[in-house]
Amino acid sequence: MMKSGHASLEEILLLFIYLELGAMVGTYFKTRRLPVQFLIYIAITALSRHLVIDVQKVADSFHLYLLLSITVAIALLSIAILILSYTAKNYGCPEDNDLKDKK
């Protein structure tokens, strides 16, 4: 990136993955818990990067099935994020209840 003077799409998408990894590590050191949602965000970003960058290099006969499978995987991961967010909001986690009892 420094040599060329500009960033390509591939490098920008990789930067988002690094940013999410950094946010996940920062959250871990703050709370001593590793949220699964961050791992799912990283997986969605990696699949999106693969969809945008690497699928162009695949043979045409396999192209449609690869596109559909990656799209379905991203949709399933998005649904998992919705479920995790809903359950965390409505039910919380046992560690949160232990912290409330100690105060």
Side-chain angles (χ1 to χ4, degrees):
M1 224 172 13
M2 297 299 282
K3 289 180 184 178
S4 65
H6 66 282
S8 66
L9 181 62
E10 183 177 354
E11 293 166 344
I12 292 171
L13 291 173
L14 191 60
L15 181 68
F16 279 118
I17 293 174
Y18 291 147
L19 181 67
E20 289 171 1
L21 282 170
M24 182 180 66
V25 169
T27 302
Y28 172 75
F29 283 124
K30 275 182 170 173
T31 63
R32 292 290 182 210
R33 291 190 331 207
L34 186 64
V36 175
Q37 291 173 339
F38 281 106
L39 296 172
I40 296 175
Y41 291 141
I42 292 169
I44 290 172
T45 306
L47 284 172
S48 301
R49 180 181 181 274
H50 181 65
L51 188 65
V52 171
I53 304 297
D54 297 331
V55 171
Q56 298 170 357
K57 301 172 188 166
V58 178
D60 288 335
S61 60
F62 189 64
H63 192 68
L64 181 63
Y65 297 116
L66 184 62
L67 285 174
L68 288 175
S69 63
I70 292 173
T71 305
V72 167
I74 291 172
L76 288 175
L77 288 171
S78 300
I79 291 169
I81 287 288
L82 287 173
I83 292 170
L84 285 172
S85 298
Y86 175 77
T87 56
K89 181 180 176 186
N90 290 332
Y91 302 110
C93 64
E95 291 86 15
D96 292 341
N97 293 333
D98 292 340
L99 291 174
K100 287 179 186 176
D101 293 339
K102 289 181 182 179
K103 289 182 181 180

